[in-house]
Amino acid sequence: MPEQPFVFESRVRFGDTDASGRIFYVSLLNHFDAAEAEFLRHLGVAYREIQDRKVGFPRVRVECDYTGALVYDDLMAIAVTVDRIGGASFTLAFDVTVEGRNAARGKVTIVAIDRQTHRPIPLPGNLRAALETYRDGSSASSPM
Amino acid sequence: MPEQPFVFESRVRFGDTDASGRIFYVSLLNHFDAAEAEFLRHLGVAYREIQDRKVGFPRVRVECDYTGALVYDDLMAIAVTVDRIGGASFTLAFDVTVEGRNAARGKVTIVAIDRQTHRPIPLPGNLRAALETYRDGSSASSPM
Amino acid sequence: MPEQPFVFESRVRFGDTDASGRIFYVSLLNHFDAAEAEFLRHLGVAYREIQDRKVGFPRVRVECDYTGALVYDDLMAIAVTVDRIGGASFTLAFDVTVEGRNAARGKVTIVAIDRQTHRPIPLPGNLRAALETYRDGSSASSPM
Amino acid sequence: MPEQPFVFESRVRFGDTDASGRIFYVSLLNHFDAAEAEFLRHLGVAYREIQDRKVGFPRVRVECDYTGALVYDDLMAIAVTVDRIGGASFTLAFDVTVEGRNAARGKVTIVAIDRQTHRPIPLPGNLRAALETYRDGSSASSPM
């Protein structure tokens, strides 16, 4: 993990809340969607660049634990880390804090597929390289 | 207008509400999306049938007035009527009531386009015919 | 598990899909929200009944595996089972099929809290009883 | 109208798109929700500040015309202007452009209500003053 993980800031919007007065649990995952896109852009492998008519990137698994309150207008800091890099898929982890207080932690697994056959294919080389570089960030920056 | 307009029943879900305790105004429009699909299915021209690689049906205008409270678990009756049939577009109107009480009224305008050029094209014949038949329903069924 | 689990039918709406042509992974969870509400209504313990100013039912964990394609207008059968009943929480499992084909499987954990203190409290007795009866449905109907 | 209207930048997220490959028409309105919140914050009258247990701000009308394509990852510039200031309500207008190209234009009307009675009440003084100052921005800065 890099010493400074990528952090995406995102606000809880009024439409994200529910009648409990807090964020609706599903709505938080839309912020993960945004964080994922900005994270990959930050790595130089934005979906719009690497996605084409041949390759798609469906999500095949999501999980999230909600550990603290998130209310209207909270400015969330969503730290993104690389949890796992597989042959045809990778998993990102999202840590949500508000003013340093933990609020949620989730993971999303994305698989690369051939859009014609809908079958998994090896992760594109530049995506894999970018994920590995980011994951190994802290060791790479260490003296030896 | 037919004597008995098509009515789509749909519930206000927890995720539809916001911190005010009522439905989030945007969320109601997702129910219109469902009502529109079921209305066209009812007419025998479901999008899945008439939509193909050549023709698309983007919405080009929406409007909605919110006139009464809608809260969690309310069972909405959404009456759908044909407001206007143009050359390349049509407008549906949605009347939302809960136990006979008015809650909202909206309209959505849908245009037929060529998916290649993204330019408007004449409404498919079967769609136009179905909309006209529905709109003229009450007079068609009256003896004279 | 009862021999006949409760099944909630729900359609993939146009707004649920994304540019991949399939359901957006987050959108499926809104259907779980609806399935959960209808399941509890089926058990006679609808949230609107058992929820009051004192007790709330936030979701504290969600997970979902997406195992098959879900596209516009698919009619999903969402079978709901009781995965776990704890002291202050319970977990529901959702099995999504389309025409008998597996499409997704998820779980949601709901905790009962005191709305003043936001601390977990024992599950209301009628909710616990209903969940247990449902879970034990098949054995209850067996001779011994 | 001020010479420099407030502009909120917001990206089209993957979850905002639909199977047409463009933004789902309802999803754009969630960006208006965010633009409205940031606009009022910019004016110094953020909802979190002026909203309390007595006053609520439901939206009573929305309309939007979709005039151009919006696709995944587009960075929208949403210019916000004050369309109307009434006794108990106000209307904001939203102009959406992508790289200078018009994509949509909408309006949302917000009413101030007493949360107990759910009846309209005069707009809070600081909100009204801020809206008026913003609306009159350009004339205020003119020589006479």
Side-chain angles (χ1 to χ4, degrees):
Chain A
M1 185 171 30
E3 286 160 20
Q4 298 279 17
F6 174 81
V7 173
F8 176 68
E9 292 201 329
S10 198
R11 269 197 198 275
V12 178
R13 299 300 176 186
F14 200 65
D16 292 331
T17 62
D18 62 31
S20 76
R22 301 184 169 199
I23 200 171
F24 180 57
Y25 78 110
V26 176
S27 298
L28 179 60
L29 305 181
N30 288 315
H31 295 268
F32 288 1
D33 180 41
E36 176 188 332
E38 295 309 318
F39 173 69
L40 292 179
R41 192 191 320 282
H42 170 72
L43 296 194
V45 286
Y47 280 128
R48 188 140 79 165
E49 313 292 320
I50 63 173
Q51 195 168 249
D52 56 26
R53 293 192 177 170
K54 289 188 194 159
V55 188
F57 294 96
R59 283 75 157 203
V60 293
R61 179 173 168 78
V62 63
E63 60 179 271
C64 188
D65 288 284
Y66 304 83
T67 56
L70 287 168
V71 300
Y72 171 61
D73 216 39
D74 273 349
L75 184 59
M76 299 179 284
I78 306 179
V80 186
T81 50
V82 177
D83 184 67
R84 192 188 58 85
I85 304 174
S89 67
F90 63 104
T91 300
L92 299 179
F94 304 89
D95 257 292
V96 183
T97 54
V98 174
E99 296 178 358
R101 178 176 51 74
N102 289 314
R105 178 171 172 84
K107 291 184 187 177
V108 174
T109 299
I110 301 113
V111 64
I113 60 160
D114 180 311
R115 289 200 173 182
Q116 299 296 134
T117 64
H118 290 295
R119 306 199 71 107
I121 56 172
L123 290 177
N126 57 348
L127 174 59
R128 166 180 297 279
L131 292 169
E132 288 174 346
T133 300
Y134 179 81
R135 185 192 55 186
D136 304 335
S138 57
S139 48
S141 67
S142 66
M144 219 118 347
Chain B
M1 185 172 30
E3 287 159 22
Q4 298 281 16
F6 174 80
V7 174
F8 176 68
E9 293 202 328
S10 198
R11 271 198 198 273
V12 177
R13 298 302 175 184
F14 201 65
D16 292 331
T17 62
D18 62 31
S20 76
R22 300 183 171 200
I23 200 170
F24 180 57
Y25 78 110
V26 176
S27 298
L28 179 60
L29 306 181
N30 287 316
H31 294 268
F32 288 2
D33 180 42
E36 176 187 333
E38 295 308 318
F39 173 68
L40 292 179
R41 191 190 321 281
H42 171 73
L43 296 194
V45 286
Y47 281 128
R48 189 142 77 166
E49 313 292 319
I50 63 173
Q51 195 170 250
D52 57 26
R53 292 189 178 174
K54 289 188 193 160
V55 188
F57 294 97
R59 283 76 157 202
V60 293
R61 179 173 168 79
V62 63
E63 61 180 270
C64 188
D65 288 284
Y66 304 83
T67 56
L70 288 167
V71 301
Y72 171 61
D73 216 38
D74 273 350
L75 185 59
M76 299 180 284
I78 306 179
V80 185
T81 50
V82 176
D83 184 67
R84 194 188 57 85
I85 304 174
S89 67
F90 62 103
T91 300
L92 300 179
F94 304 89
D95 259 292
V96 184
T97 53
V98 173
E99 296 177 1
R101 177 177 51 76
N102 288 313
R105 180 173 171 82
K107 291 183 186 178
V108 173
T109 299
I110 301 113
V111 63
I113 61 160
D114 180 311
R115 290 198 172 184
Q116 299 295 135
T117 65
H118 289 296
R119 305 198 72 108
I121 56 172
L123 291 178
N126 56 346
L127 174 59
R128 167 180 297 281
L131 292 169
E132 288 174 347
T133 300
Y134 178 81
R135 185 190 56 186
D136 304 335
S138 56
S139 47
S141 66
S142 66
M144 71 215 85
Chain C
M1 185 171 32
E3 286 158 22
Q4 299 280 17
F6 174 80
V7 173
F8 176 67
E9 293 202 328
S10 198
R11 269 196 199 275
V12 177
R13 298 300 174 185
F14 201 65
D16 291 331
T17 62
D18 61 33
S20 76
R22 301 183 171 201
I23 200 171
F24 179 57
Y25 78 110
V26 176
S27 297
L28 179 61
L29 305 182
N30 287 315
H31 295 267
F32 288 1
D33 179 42
E36 176 188 331
E38 295 309 319
F39 172 69
L40 292 179
R41 191 190 321 280
H42 170 73
L43 296 194
V45 285
Y47 281 128
R48 189 142 77 166
E49 313 293 319
I50 64 173
Q51 196 169 248
D52 55 27
R53 293 190 177 172
K54 289 189 194 157
V55 188
F57 294 97
R59 284 74 157 203
V60 293
R61 178 172 170 80
V62 63
E63 60 180 272
C64 187
D65 288 283
Y66 304 84
T67 56
L70 287 168
V71 301
Y72 172 59
D73 217 38
D74 273 350
L75 185 59
M76 299 180 284
I78 306 179
V80 185
T81 49
V82 177
D83 185 68
R84 193 187 58 83
I85 304 174
S89 68
F90 63 103
T91 300
L92 299 180
F94 304 89
D95 258 292
V96 183
T97 54
V98 174
E99 295 176 1
R101 177 177 50 74
N102 288 315
R105 178 173 172 84
K107 291 183 187 178
V108 174
T109 300
I110 302 113
V111 63
I113 60 159
D114 180 310
R115 289 199 172 182
Q116 299 294 134
T117 64
H118 289 295
R119 307 197 71 109
I121 55 172
L123 290 178
N126 56 347
L127 174 59
R128 166 180 297 280
L131 292 169
E132 288 175 347
T133 300
Y134 179 81
R135 185 191 56 186
D136 304 336
S138 56
S139 49
S141 66
S142 65
M144 94 219 60
Chain D
M1 188 173 27
E3 288 161 19
Q4 298 279 17
F6 174 80
V7 174
F8 175 68
E9 292 201 328
S10 198
R11 270 197 199 275
V12 178
R13 298 302 175 186
F14 200 65
D16 291 332
T17 63
D18 62 32
S20 76
R22 300 184 170 199
I23 200 171
F24 179 57
Y25 78 110
V26 177
S27 297
L28 179 61
L29 306 181
N30 287 315
H31 295 267
F32 288 1
D33 179 41
E36 175 188 332
E38 295 308 318
F39 172 70
L40 292 180
R41 192 190 320 280
H42 170 73
L43 295 194
V45 286
Y47 281 128
R48 188 140 79 166
E49 313 292 321
I50 63 172
Q51 195 169 248
D52 56 26
R53 293 192 176 171
K54 289 188 193 159
V55 188
F57 294 97
R59 284 73 157 204
V60 293
R61 179 173 169 78
V62 64
E63 61 180 89
C64 188
D65 288 284
Y66 303 83
T67 56
L70 287 167
V71 301
Y72 171 61
D73 216 39
D74 273 350
L75 185 59
M76 300 179 283
I78 306 179
V80 186
T81 50
V82 177
D83 186 67
R84 193 188 59 84
I85 305 174
S89 68
F90 63 103
T91 300
L92 300 179
F94 304 89
D95 258 293
V96 183
T97 55
V98 174
E99 296 177 0
R101 178 177 51 74
N102 288 314
R105 179 173 171 81
K107 291 183 186 178
V108 174
T109 300
I110 302 112
V111 64
I113 60 160
D114 180 311
R115 289 199 172 182
Q116 299 295 134
T117 64
H118 290 294
R119 307 199 71 109
I121 55 173
L123 290 178
N126 56 346
L127 174 59
R128 167 179 297 278
L131 292 169
E132 288 176 346
T133 300
Y134 178 81
R135 184 190 58 185
D136 303 336
S138 57
S139 50
S141 66
S142 67
M144 82 220 79

